Amino acid sequence: GDSCCNPQSMGYIKKIVENKIPGIYVLSLKIGSNLIQDMENSFFMNVNDQVREVCSQLAKDPHLKGGYNAMGFSQGGQFLRAVAQRCPSPPMLNLISVGGQHQGSVYGFPRCPGESSRICDWIRKTLDLGAYTQAVQEHLVQAEYWHDPLKEEDYRKNSIFLADINQERGINETYKKNLMALKKFVMVKFLNDTMVDPPISEWFGFYKSGQAKETIPLRETSLYTEDRLGLQEMDKAGKLVFLGVKGDHLHFSEEWFYTTILPFLQ
């Protein structure tokens, strides 16, 4: 529901990073030929196609050929993780995920802008009716990281994006190798998040399988204990950074951003 250059969101982030780190080059990714398409694609463009488009943009940008730092907000955090896993050239150096749902989200989806409230209501109803049907998976972004702990088999079998990048159906050694090449993987969790269910997904935790009340942290998940994605090895090497910030989804102060996030970009 956002766009690359909204002066109150992504455009603003771009501006303050440029102001605080003189001479830095910042690319705010646009998916589509204009801002309206960019916003609509955040709801309706197959995430795998979005990742391919971004990989192409990055490969063509001469400023990035030596490597780059990536920062994604909400669903952008997990989408950029897919870029890290699938597109090692140019190399992603550090990945900063601000409120990204790395184990997926269920029973809702991140804050939907007021301008799009009718779209949001329609999407919620569609997800409730058939998140794992082929048509919904291929044409509704939020369905592609919809992770229902009561329907784990349906999720693993039919999720065309999240189940793939989380190695739920087999091990893609290239995904693992590429993610482990990161210097740092920074995950920001909003401690009072009411938009991501469960909020611990922002730190790669999730519900215990088969129920939707008790959650487990990353280090107790099979993804970690079996090290299917290399996260255990990265953790032992000090590459995983877990940050918590008070506030609801994507609510943070400029001061927190300057002191906590900007050092990873310098």
Side-chain angles (χ1 to χ4, degrees), residues 73-131:
F73 294 82
S74 195
Q75 65 187 32
Q78 50 171 310
F79 298 173
L80 280 172
R81 174 165 65 86
V83 170
Q85 291 174 209
R86 293 175 177 176
C87 306
S89 181
M92 186 184 292
L93 306 176
N94 295 301
L95 171 58
I96 302 166
S97 167
V98 184
Q101 311 85 15
H102 292 283
Q103 286 275 25
S105 186
V106 71
Y107 309 134
F109 63 96
R111 186 175 302 280
C112 216
E115 301 293 320
S116 310
S117 58
R118 277 181 294 182
I119 294 177
C120 298
D121 289 341
W122 177 82
I123 289 175
R124 287 189 182 97
K125 289 174 184 174
T126 303
L127 289 169
D128 286 337
L129 289 171

Short mmCIF file of all heavy atoms in Angstrom, two decimals, residues 73-131:
data_model
loop_
_atom_site.label_atom_id
_atom_site.label_comp_id
_atom_site.label_asym_id
_atom_site.label_seq_id
_atom_site.Cartn_x
_atom_site.Cartn_y
_atom_site.Cartn_z
N PHE A 73 10.96 -2.39 4.77
CA PHE A 73 9.98 -2.11 5.81
C PHE A 73 8.76 -3.02 5.63
O PHE A 73 8.20 -3.11 4.53
CB PHE A 73 9.56 -0.64 5.76
CG PHE A 73 10.68 0.29 6.11
CD1 PHE A 73 11.62 0.64 5.16
CD2 PHE A 73 10.82 0.78 7.40
CE1 PHE A 73 12.69 1.47 5.48
CE2 PHE A 73 11.88 1.62 7.73
CZ PHE A 73 12.81 1.97 6.77
N SER A 74 8.36 -3.68 6.70
CA SER A 74 7.23 -4.60 6.70
C SER A 74 7.43 -5.68 5.64
O SER A 74 8.51 -6.30 5.62
CB SER A 74 5.91 -3.83 6.50
OG SER A 74 4.81 -4.65 6.84
N GLN A 75 6.48 -5.89 4.72
CA GLN A 75 6.66 -6.97 3.75
C GLN A 75 7.93 -6.78 2.91
O GLN A 75 8.51 -7.74 2.42
CB GLN A 75 5.43 -7.15 2.87
CG GLN A 75 5.11 -6.00 1.95
CD GLN A 75 3.76 -6.19 1.23
OE1 GLN A 75 2.83 -6.80 1.76
NE2 GLN A 75 3.65 -5.66 0.02
N GLY A 76 8.40 -5.55 2.79
CA GLY A 76 9.64 -5.29 2.07
C GLY A 76 10.84 -5.98 2.68
O GLY A 76 11.80 -6.32 1.98
N GLY A 77 10.79 -6.23 4.01
CA GLY A 77 11.90 -6.91 4.66
C GLY A 77 12.06 -8.34 4.19
O GLY A 77 13.16 -8.80 3.89
N GLN A 78 10.94 -9.05 4.11
CA GLN A 78 11.03 -10.45 3.66
C GLN A 78 11.26 -10.53 2.15
O GLN A 78 11.94 -11.44 1.67
CB GLN A 78 9.79 -11.24 4.06
CG GLN A 78 8.50 -10.58 3.69
CD GLN A 78 7.30 -11.49 3.91
OE1 GLN A 78 7.31 -12.61 3.45
NE2 GLN A 78 6.29 -10.99 4.58
N PHE A 79 10.74 -9.56 1.39
CA PHE A 79 10.97 -9.58 -0.05
C PHE A 79 12.45 -9.35 -0.36
O PHE A 79 13.01 -9.98 -1.26
CB PHE A 79 10.12 -8.51 -0.76
CG PHE A 79 8.62 -8.71 -0.61
CD1 PHE A 79 7.74 -7.74 -1.07
CD2 PHE A 79 8.09 -9.84 -0.01
CE1 PHE A 79 6.37 -7.90 -0.94
CE2 PHE A 79 6.72 -10.01 0.13
CZ PHE A 79 5.86 -9.04 -0.33
N LEU A 80 13.09 -8.45 0.40
CA LEU A 80 14.52 -8.23 0.18
C LEU A 80 15.35 -9.43 0.64
O LEU A 80 16.42 -9.69 0.09
CB LEU A 80 14.98 -6.97 0.90
CG LEU A 80 14.67 -5.66 0.16
CD1 LEU A 80 14.99 -4.46 1.03
CD2 LEU A 80 15.43 -5.58 -1.16
N ARG A 81 14.85 -10.17 1.62
CA ARG A 81 15.55 -11.41 1.98
C ARG A 81 15.53 -12.38 0.80
O ARG A 81 16.52 -13.08 0.54
CB ARG A 81 14.93 -12.06 3.23
CG ARG A 81 15.55 -13.43 3.54
CD ARG A 81 15.21 -13.90 4.92
NE ARG A 81 13.81 -14.15 5.12
CZ ARG A 81 13.19 -15.31 4.85
NH1 ARG A 81 13.87 -16.31 4.30
NH2 ARG A 81 11.91 -15.46 5.11
N ALA A 82 14.40 -12.43 0.09
CA ALA A 82 14.34 -13.27 -1.11
C ALA A 82 15.34 -12.80 -2.15
O ALA A 82 15.97 -13.62 -2.84
CB ALA A 82 12.93 -13.26 -1.69
N VAL A 83 15.53 -11.49 -2.27
CA VAL A 83 16.54 -10.95 -3.20
C VAL A 83 17.93 -11.45 -2.78
O VAL A 83 18.73 -11.89 -3.61
CB VAL A 83 16.48 -9.42 -3.23
CG1 VAL A 83 17.67 -8.84 -4.00
CG2 VAL A 83 15.17 -8.94 -3.85
N ALA A 84 18.21 -11.39 -1.47
CA ALA A 84 19.51 -11.86 -0.98
C ALA A 84 19.73 -13.33 -1.32
O ALA A 84 20.83 -13.74 -1.71
CB ALA A 84 19.62 -11.64 0.53
N GLN A 85 18.68 -14.13 -1.16
CA GLN A 85 18.81 -15.57 -1.37
C GLN A 85 18.88 -15.95 -2.85
O GLN A 85 19.55 -16.92 -3.21
CB GLN A 85 17.62 -16.30 -0.72
CG GLN A 85 17.66 -16.24 0.80
CD GLN A 85 16.44 -16.83 1.48
OE1 GLN A 85 16.08 -16.42 2.57
NE2 GLN A 85 15.79 -17.80 0.86
N ARG A 86 18.20 -15.19 -3.69
CA ARG A 86 18.09 -15.57 -5.10
C ARG A 86 19.05 -14.82 -6.01
O ARG A 86 19.36 -15.30 -7.11
CB ARG A 86 16.65 -15.34 -5.58
CG ARG A 86 15.63 -16.24 -4.92
CD ARG A 86 14.21 -15.87 -5.36
NE ARG A 86 13.20 -16.77 -4.78
CZ ARG A 86 11.89 -16.61 -4.94
NH1 ARG A 86 11.43 -15.59 -5.65
NH2 ARG A 86 11.05 -17.47 -4.39
N CYS A 87 19.53 -13.66 -5.61
CA CYS A 87 20.29 -12.80 -6.54
C CYS A 87 21.56 -12.30 -5.88
O CYS A 87 21.60 -11.18 -5.33
CB CYS A 87 19.43 -11.62 -6.98
SG CYS A 87 17.83 -12.09 -7.67
N PRO A 88 22.63 -13.09 -5.92
CA PRO A 88 23.87 -12.73 -5.22
C PRO A 88 24.73 -11.68 -5.93
O PRO A 88 25.75 -11.26 -5.39
CB PRO A 88 24.61 -14.06 -5.14
CG PRO A 88 24.14 -14.82 -6.35
CD PRO A 88 22.70 -14.43 -6.53
N SER A 89 24.32 -11.26 -7.13
CA SER A 89 25.11 -10.29 -7.87
C SER A 89 24.21 -9.15 -8.35
O SER A 89 23.26 -9.39 -9.08
CB SER A 89 25.79 -10.96 -9.06
OG SER A 89 26.58 -10.05 -9.77
N PRO A 90 24.51 -7.91 -7.92
CA PRO A 90 25.59 -7.51 -7.01
C PRO A 90 25.33 -8.01 -5.59
O PRO A 90 24.19 -8.28 -5.23
CB PRO A 90 25.54 -5.97 -7.08
CG PRO A 90 24.12 -5.66 -7.41
CD PRO A 90 23.66 -6.75 -8.32
N PRO A 91 26.39 -8.12 -4.77
CA PRO A 91 26.22 -8.71 -3.45
C PRO A 91 25.51 -7.77 -2.46
O PRO A 91 25.80 -6.57 -2.42
CB PRO A 91 27.65 -8.97 -2.99
CG PRO A 91 28.48 -7.98 -3.75
CD PRO A 91 27.79 -7.80 -5.07
N MET A 92 24.56 -8.33 -1.72
CA MET A 92 23.95 -7.60 -0.61
C MET A 92 24.89 -7.75 0.59
O MET A 92 25.28 -8.85 0.94
CB MET A 92 22.57 -8.17 -0.28
CG MET A 92 21.80 -7.37 0.76
SD MET A 92 20.20 -8.13 1.22
CE MET A 92 19.25 -7.94 -0.29
N LEU A 93 25.26 -6.64 1.20
CA LEU A 93 26.23 -6.67 2.30
C LEU A 93 25.52 -6.85 3.64
O LEU A 93 25.79 -7.79 4.38
CB LEU A 93 27.06 -5.39 2.29
CG LEU A 93 27.75 -5.07 0.95
CD1 LEU A 93 28.47 -3.74 1.01
CD2 LEU A 93 28.72 -6.19 0.57
N ASN A 94 24.62 -5.94 3.96
CA ASN A 94 23.82 -6.02 5.18
C ASN A 94 22.35 -5.95 4.80
O ASN A 94 21.98 -5.19 3.90
CB ASN A 94 24.15 -4.87 6.13
CG ASN A 94 25.57 -4.93 6.65
OD1 ASN A 94 25.97 -5.90 7.29
ND2 ASN A 94 26.36 -3.90 6.38
N LEU A 95 21.53 -6.72 5.50
CA LEU A 95 20.08 -6.68 5.29
C LEU A 95 19.43 -6.21 6.59
O LEU A 95 19.63 -6.81 7.65
CB LEU A 95 19.55 -8.06 4.91
CG LEU A 95 18.01 -8.22 4.88
CD1 LEU A 95 17.38 -7.23 3.90
CD2 LEU A 95 17.63 -9.65 4.52
N ILE A 96 18.67 -5.13 6.48
CA ILE A 96 17.95 -4.58 7.63
C ILE A 96 16.46 -4.74 7.37
O ILE A 96 15.90 -4.15 6.45
CB ILE A 96 18.29 -3.09 7.84
CG1 ILE A 96 19.80 -2.92 8.02
CG2 ILE A 96 17.54 -2.53 9.03
CD1 ILE A 96 20.27 -1.48 7.91
N SER A 97 15.83 -5.58 8.18
CA SER A 97 14.40 -5.86 8.05
C SER A 97 13.67 -5.16 9.18
O SER A 97 13.84 -5.51 10.36
CB SER A 97 14.17 -7.37 8.11
OG SER A 97 12.80 -7.66 8.30
N VAL A 98 12.86 -4.16 8.85
CA VAL A 98 12.14 -3.38 9.85
C VAL A 98 10.68 -3.85 9.87
O VAL A 98 9.86 -3.47 9.04
CB VAL A 98 12.22 -1.87 9.54
CG1 VAL A 98 11.56 -1.06 10.65
CG2 VAL A 98 13.68 -1.44 9.37
N GLY A 99 10.37 -4.75 10.80
CA GLY A 99 9.01 -5.27 10.90
C GLY A 99 8.64 -6.27 9.82
O GLY A 99 7.46 -6.45 9.53
N GLY A 100 9.63 -6.95 9.22
CA GLY A 100 9.34 -7.94 8.18
C GLY A 100 8.83 -9.25 8.77
O GLY A 100 9.32 -9.69 9.81
N GLN A 101 7.88 -9.88 8.09
CA GLN A 101 7.23 -11.09 8.63
C GLN A 101 7.94 -12.35 8.08
O GLN A 101 7.45 -12.99 7.16
CB GLN A 101 5.75 -11.12 8.24
CG GLN A 101 5.00 -9.83 8.51
CD GLN A 101 5.14 -8.81 7.38
OE1 GLN A 101 5.56 -9.13 6.28
NE2 GLN A 101 4.80 -7.57 7.66
N HIS A 102 9.05 -12.73 8.68
CA HIS A 102 9.90 -13.76 8.08
C HIS A 102 9.35 -15.18 8.21
O HIS A 102 9.75 -16.06 7.46
CB HIS A 102 11.31 -13.66 8.62
CG HIS A 102 11.99 -12.42 8.16
ND1 HIS A 102 12.50 -12.29 6.87
CD2 HIS A 102 12.20 -11.22 8.77
CE1 HIS A 102 13.00 -11.07 6.73
NE2 HIS A 102 12.83 -10.40 7.86
N GLN A 103 8.45 -15.39 9.14
CA GLN A 103 7.76 -16.68 9.20
C GLN A 103 6.31 -16.53 8.73
O GLN A 103 5.49 -17.42 8.91
CB GLN A 103 7.78 -17.25 10.62
CG GLN A 103 9.13 -17.80 11.04
CD GLN A 103 9.34 -19.24 10.60
OE1 GLN A 103 8.75 -19.70 9.63
NE2 GLN A 103 10.20 -19.95 11.31
N GLY A 104 6.02 -15.38 8.15
CA GLY A 104 4.67 -15.15 7.66
C GLY A 104 3.78 -14.50 8.70
O GLY A 104 4.19 -14.22 9.82
N SER A 105 2.56 -14.26 8.30
CA SER A 105 1.57 -13.64 9.17
C SER A 105 0.24 -14.30 8.89
O SER A 105 0.02 -14.90 7.83
CB SER A 105 1.49 -12.13 8.89
OG SER A 105 0.65 -11.49 9.82
N VAL A 106 -0.66 -14.21 9.85
CA VAL A 106 -1.94 -14.90 9.69
C VAL A 106 -3.03 -14.07 10.37
O VAL A 106 -2.76 -13.29 11.27
CB VAL A 106 -1.87 -16.32 10.28
CG1 VAL A 106 -1.79 -16.30 11.79
CG2 VAL A 106 -3.03 -17.18 9.82
N TYR A 107 -4.25 -14.26 9.91
CA TYR A 107 -5.43 -13.59 10.49
C TYR A 107 -5.37 -12.07 10.35
O TYR A 107 -5.93 -11.34 11.15
CB TYR A 107 -5.60 -13.96 11.97
CG TYR A 107 -5.58 -15.42 12.25
CD1 TYR A 107 -4.84 -15.94 13.28
CD2 TYR A 107 -6.28 -16.31 11.43
CE1 TYR A 107 -4.80 -17.31 13.53
CE2 TYR A 107 -6.24 -17.67 11.67
CZ TYR A 107 -5.51 -18.17 12.71
OH TYR A 107 -5.45 -19.51 12.94
N GLY A 108 -4.69 -11.59 9.36
CA GLY A 108 -4.60 -10.15 9.17
C GLY A 108 -3.37 -9.85 8.36
O GLY A 108 -2.65 -10.75 7.96
N PHE A 109 -3.09 -8.59 8.10
CA PHE A 109 -1.84 -8.27 7.44
C PHE A 109 -1.46 -6.84 7.79
O PHE A 109 -2.27 -6.08 8.31
CB PHE A 109 -1.92 -8.48 5.93
CG PHE A 109 -2.91 -7.63 5.19
CD1 PHE A 109 -2.49 -6.47 4.57
CD2 PHE A 109 -4.23 -8.00 5.11
CE1 PHE A 109 -3.39 -5.69 3.87
CE2 PHE A 109 -5.13 -7.21 4.41
CZ PHE A 109 -4.72 -6.06 3.80
N PRO A 110 -0.22 -6.47 7.56
CA PRO A 110 0.29 -5.21 8.09
C PRO A 110 -0.54 -3.98 7.71
O PRO A 110 -1.30 -4.00 6.75
CB PRO A 110 1.69 -5.12 7.48
CG PRO A 110 2.07 -6.53 7.28
CD PRO A 110 0.81 -7.24 6.89
N ARG A 111 -0.32 -2.98 8.51
CA ARG A 111 -1.12 -1.74 8.42
C ARG A 111 -1.41 -1.33 6.98
O ARG A 111 -0.53 -1.14 6.17
CB ARG A 111 -0.36 -0.61 9.12
CG ARG A 111 -1.17 0.68 9.21
CD ARG A 111 -0.41 1.69 10.02
NE ARG A 111 -0.11 1.21 11.35
CZ ARG A 111 -0.98 1.21 12.35
NH1 ARG A 111 -2.20 1.62 12.17
NH2 ARG A 111 -0.61 0.77 13.53
N CYS A 112 -2.68 -1.22 6.70
CA CYS A 112 -3.14 -0.88 5.36
C CYS A 112 -3.48 0.61 5.36
O CYS A 112 -4.20 1.08 6.25
CB CYS A 112 -4.37 -1.72 5.05
SG CYS A 112 -4.48 -2.26 3.35
N PRO A 113 -3.00 1.39 4.41
CA PRO A 113 -3.24 2.83 4.44
C PRO A 113 -4.72 3.16 4.30
O PRO A 113 -5.47 2.45 3.63
CB PRO A 113 -2.44 3.35 3.25
CG PRO A 113 -2.24 2.17 2.37
CD PRO A 113 -2.18 0.97 3.27
N GLY A 114 -5.13 4.24 4.94
CA GLY A 114 -6.53 4.64 4.93
C GLY A 114 -7.10 4.82 3.53
O GLY A 114 -8.26 4.51 3.26
N GLU A 115 -6.24 5.30 2.60
CA GLU A 115 -6.68 5.50 1.23
C GLU A 115 -7.14 4.19 0.59
O GLU A 115 -7.92 4.18 -0.34
CB GLU A 115 -5.52 6.07 0.40
CG GLU A 115 -4.96 7.39 0.90
CD GLU A 115 -5.95 8.53 0.77
OE1 GLU A 115 -6.64 8.59 -0.24
OE2 GLU A 115 -6.03 9.34 1.70
N SER A 116 -6.62 3.09 1.10
CA SER A 116 -6.88 1.79 0.48
C SER A 116 -7.79 0.93 1.34
O SER A 116 -7.79 -0.29 1.22
CB SER A 116 -5.56 1.05 0.25
OG SER A 116 -4.62 1.87 -0.41
N SER A 117 -8.58 1.52 2.23
CA SER A 117 -9.33 0.73 3.19
C SER A 117 -10.28 -0.25 2.53
O SER A 117 -10.46 -1.38 2.99
CB SER A 117 -10.11 1.65 4.14
OG SER A 117 -10.98 2.48 3.41
N ARG A 118 -10.90 0.12 1.39
CA ARG A 118 -11.80 -0.82 0.72
C ARG A 118 -11.03 -2.00 0.13
O ARG A 118 -11.48 -3.14 0.18
CB ARG A 118 -12.59 -0.10 -0.38
CG ARG A 118 -13.82 0.63 0.17
CD ARG A 118 -14.60 1.30 -0.93
NE ARG A 118 -13.86 2.39 -1.55
CZ ARG A 118 -14.33 3.16 -2.53
NH1 ARG A 118 -15.53 2.95 -3.01
NH2 ARG A 118 -13.60 4.14 -3.03
N ILE A 119 -9.85 -1.71 -0.42
CA ILE A 119 -9.00 -2.78 -0.93
C ILE A 119 -8.62 -3.71 0.22
O ILE A 119 -8.68 -4.93 0.10
CB ILE A 119 -7.71 -2.21 -1.58
CG1 ILE A 119 -8.06 -1.41 -2.83
CG2 ILE A 119 -6.73 -3.33 -1.93
CD1 ILE A 119 -6.86 -0.76 -3.49
N CYS A 120 -8.27 -3.12 1.37
CA CYS A 120 -7.86 -3.92 2.52
C CYS A 120 -8.97 -4.84 2.99
O CYS A 120 -8.74 -6.02 3.28
CB CYS A 120 -7.44 -3.01 3.67
SG CYS A 120 -6.04 -1.96 3.29
N ASP A 121 -10.18 -4.31 3.08
CA ASP A 121 -11.32 -5.13 3.51
C ASP A 121 -11.56 -6.27 2.55
O ASP A 121 -11.81 -7.41 2.95
CB ASP A 121 -12.58 -4.26 3.62
CG ASP A 121 -12.52 -3.29 4.80
OD1 ASP A 121 -11.69 -3.54 5.71
OD2 ASP A 121 -13.27 -2.31 4.80
N TRP A 122 -11.46 -5.99 1.25
CA TRP A 122 -11.67 -7.03 0.24
C TRP A 122 -10.59 -8.10 0.36
O TRP A 122 -10.87 -9.30 0.28
CB TRP A 122 -11.66 -6.41 -1.15
CG TRP A 122 -11.80 -7.42 -2.24
CD1 TRP A 122 -12.95 -7.98 -2.71
CD2 TRP A 122 -10.73 -8.03 -2.98
NE1 TRP A 122 -12.68 -8.90 -3.70
CE2 TRP A 122 -11.32 -8.95 -3.90
CE3 TRP A 122 -9.34 -7.90 -2.98
CZ2 TRP A 122 -10.57 -9.72 -4.78
CZ3 TRP A 122 -8.59 -8.67 -3.85
CH2 TRP A 122 -9.21 -9.56 -4.74
N ILE A 123 -9.34 -7.67 0.57
CA ILE A 123 -8.24 -8.62 0.68
C ILE A 123 -8.41 -9.51 1.90
O ILE A 123 -8.21 -10.73 1.83
CB ILE A 123 -6.88 -7.88 0.73
CG1 ILE A 123 -6.58 -7.28 -0.65
CG2 ILE A 123 -5.76 -8.83 1.15
CD1 ILE A 123 -5.33 -6.42 -0.69
N ARG A 124 -8.81 -8.93 3.01
CA ARG A 124 -9.01 -9.73 4.23
C ARG A 124 -10.05 -10.83 3.99
O ARG A 124 -9.86 -11.98 4.38
CB ARG A 124 -9.43 -8.84 5.39
CG ARG A 124 -8.31 -7.98 5.94
CD ARG A 124 -8.69 -7.27 7.22
NE ARG A 124 -7.60 -6.42 7.67
CZ ARG A 124 -7.52 -5.12 7.43
NH1 ARG A 124 -8.47 -4.51 6.75
NH2 ARG A 124 -6.51 -4.42 7.87
N LYS A 125 -11.16 -10.45 3.36
CA LYS A 125 -12.21 -11.44 3.09
C LYS A 125 -11.71 -12.53 2.15
O LYS A 125 -12.01 -13.71 2.32
CB LYS A 125 -13.44 -10.73 2.50
CG LYS A 125 -14.18 -9.86 3.51
CD LYS A 125 -15.30 -9.06 2.84
CE LYS A 125 -15.96 -8.13 3.84
NZ LYS A 125 -16.95 -7.23 3.20
N THR A 126 -10.96 -12.12 1.12
CA THR A 126 -10.43 -13.09 0.16
C THR A 126 -9.47 -14.06 0.83
O THR A 126 -9.51 -15.27 0.58
CB THR A 126 -9.72 -12.35 -0.99
OG1 THR A 126 -10.63 -11.43 -1.60
CG2 THR A 126 -9.21 -13.32 -2.04
N LEU A 127 -8.60 -13.53 1.69
CA LEU A 127 -7.66 -14.39 2.40
C LEU A 127 -8.38 -15.38 3.30
O LEU A 127 -8.01 -16.56 3.37
CB LEU A 127 -6.70 -13.53 3.22
CG LEU A 127 -5.66 -12.72 2.43
CD1 LEU A 127 -4.96 -11.73 3.35
CD2 LEU A 127 -4.64 -13.63 1.78
N ASP A 128 -9.41 -14.92 3.99
CA ASP A 128 -10.17 -15.81 4.86
C ASP A 128 -10.82 -16.94 4.09
O ASP A 128 -10.93 -18.07 4.56
CB ASP A 128 -11.24 -15.02 5.62
CG ASP A 128 -10.65 -14.16 6.74
OD1 ASP A 128 -9.54 -14.50 7.20
OD2 ASP A 128 -11.28 -13.18 7.14
N LEU A 129 -11.25 -16.64 2.87
CA LEU A 129 -11.97 -17.64 2.07
C LEU A 129 -11.04 -18.65 1.41
O LEU A 129 -11.39 -19.83 1.29
CB LEU A 129 -12.82 -16.93 1.00
CG LEU A 129 -14.04 -16.17 1.51
CD1 LEU A 129 -14.66 -15.35 0.40
CD2 LEU A 129 -15.08 -17.15 2.06
N GLY A 130 -9.87 -18.21 0.95
CA GLY A 130 -9.05 -19.16 0.20
C GLY A 130 -7.63 -18.71 -0.04
O GLY A 130 -7.20 -18.58 -1.19
N ALA A 131 -6.86 -18.49 1.02
CA ALA A 131 -5.50 -17.99 0.86
C ALA A 131 -4.62 -18.94 0.07
O ALA A 131 -3.68 -18.51 -0.59
CB ALA A 131 -4.87 -17.73 2.23
#
